[in-house]
């Protein structure tokens, strides 16, 4: 990037800081497509991608008084977009892990844009279940796949109810940790 380009961007930020609507329009025109493309590449959802870009520019305008302090305007814009995209991923992390395979199937029966997430979640859960020690895996599968209660699992496996409960606590923690770790790795790869 040339110094004159950077200077021009800093000038635009300074003009916006002074309340110049035309400078703001130039900034939007110059960066909308690139920021939208970045958001689409990660979110795979045009509505969310548009929301991310709109939030970036809305924040720029709301906080315009501070723009004159920004040394690298382009970097600032892309960092704002990245943070908004990460916020969208964090929202997905707050979605609870289904308690049963029926709940996961119900999610799979949801609208098409939500089905991909449900399928990917199901695949992640299956991956971590396959890595569990045999007894923990058996307890998890009897609970989640067959819908058995702790007492029924204990009777079937010949172990105590408390042992079943301990395995379930560890299994669910393992699933959550695995999913969070997988998402963290995804963020590192893309960001």
């Amino acid at each position: 990037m040339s110094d004159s380009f950077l200077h021009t961007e800093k000038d635009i930020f300074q003009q916006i800081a002074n309340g110049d609507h035309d400078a703001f329009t130039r900034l939007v025109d110059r960066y909308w497509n690139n920021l939208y493309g970045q958001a689409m590449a990660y979110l795979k959802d045009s509505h969310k991608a548009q929301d991310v870009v709109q939030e970036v520019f809305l924040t720029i305008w709301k906080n315009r008084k501070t723009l004159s302090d920004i040394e690298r305007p382009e970097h600032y814009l892309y960092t704002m977009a990245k943070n908004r995209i990460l916020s969208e991923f964090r929202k997905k992390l707050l979605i609870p892990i289904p308690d049963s395979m029926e709940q996961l199937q119900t999610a799979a029966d949801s609208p098409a844009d939500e089905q991909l997430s449900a399928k990917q979640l199901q695949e992640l859960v299956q991956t971590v279940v396959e890595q569990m020690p045999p007894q923990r895996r058996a307890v998890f599968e009897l609970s989640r796949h067959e819908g058995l209660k702790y007492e029924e699992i204990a009777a079937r496996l010949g172990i105590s109810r408390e042992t079943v409960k301990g395995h379930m606590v560890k299994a669910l923690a393992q699933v959550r940790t695995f999913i969070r770790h997988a998402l963290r790795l995804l963020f590192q790869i893309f960001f």
Side-chain angles (χ1 to χ4, degrees), residues 16-181:
I16 295 169
N18 294 332
D20 186 333
H21 292 274
D22 291 334
F24 181 73
T25 301
R26 283 194 311 273
L27 184 75
V28 171
D29 289 345
R30 185 175 288 177
Y31 286 100
W32 181 276
N33 289 337
N34 288 341
L35 295 176
Y36 176 79
Q38 178 185 14
M40 268 301 289
Y42 298 113
L43 298 174
K44 310 289 190 230
D45 181 317
S46 62
H47 296 293
K48 287 183 181 179
Q50 284 180 352
D51 288 346
V52 162
V53 178
Q54 287 173 353
E55 287 177 30
V56 167
F57 287 113
L58 181 62
T59 302
I60 290 287
W61 186 253
K62 282 182 177 178
N63 299 325
R64 63 187 173 274
K65 301 285 185 203
T66 63
L67 293 180
S68 56
D69 297 333
I70 306 299
E71 290 297 318
R72 296 172 49 201
E74 185 176 27
H75 182 322
Y76 183 75
L77 286 168
Y78 284 105
T79 300
M80 286 180 67
K82 177 180 121 178
N83 290 337
R84 295 285 190 285
I85 292 166
L86 287 172
S87 292
E88 287 298 319
F89 280 115
R90 283 188 196 102
K91 288 178 191 175
K92 289 183 180 184
L93 279 178
L94 298 177
I95 297 171
I97 295 171
D99 288 332
S100 68
M101 294 315 272
E102 286 133 15
Q103 287 178 349
L104 200 51
Q105 184 57 43
T106 301
D109 294 336
S110 61
D113 61 335
E114 296 174 15
Q115 285 182 11
L116 182 60
S117 296
K119 183 179 180 200
Q120 290 171 333
L121 179 60
Q122 193 171 16
E123 289 171 359
L124 279 174
V125 169
Q126 188 56 41
T127 299
V128 72
V129 168
E130 290 170 1
Q131 297 174 2
M132 289 180 184
Q135 194 167 40
R136 185 181 306 165
R137 179 180 178 173
V139 167
F140 183 86
E141 289 177 338
L142 289 171
S143 172
R144 296 308 191 241
H145 292 263
E146 296 185 30
L148 298 180
K149 299 185 185 303
Y150 288 0
E151 293 81 12
E152 296 168 319
I153 297 169
R156 187 177 287 184
L157 296 178
I159 57 178
S160 73
R161 182 189 184 287
E162 290 304 311
T163 301
V164 169
K165 182 178 176 182
H167 280 302
M168 280 304 297
V169 167
K170 289 178 182 175
L172 291 172
Q174 188 175 349
V175 168
R176 286 185 182 97
T177 300
F178 182 85
I179 290 172
R180 286 187 181 109
H181 180 69

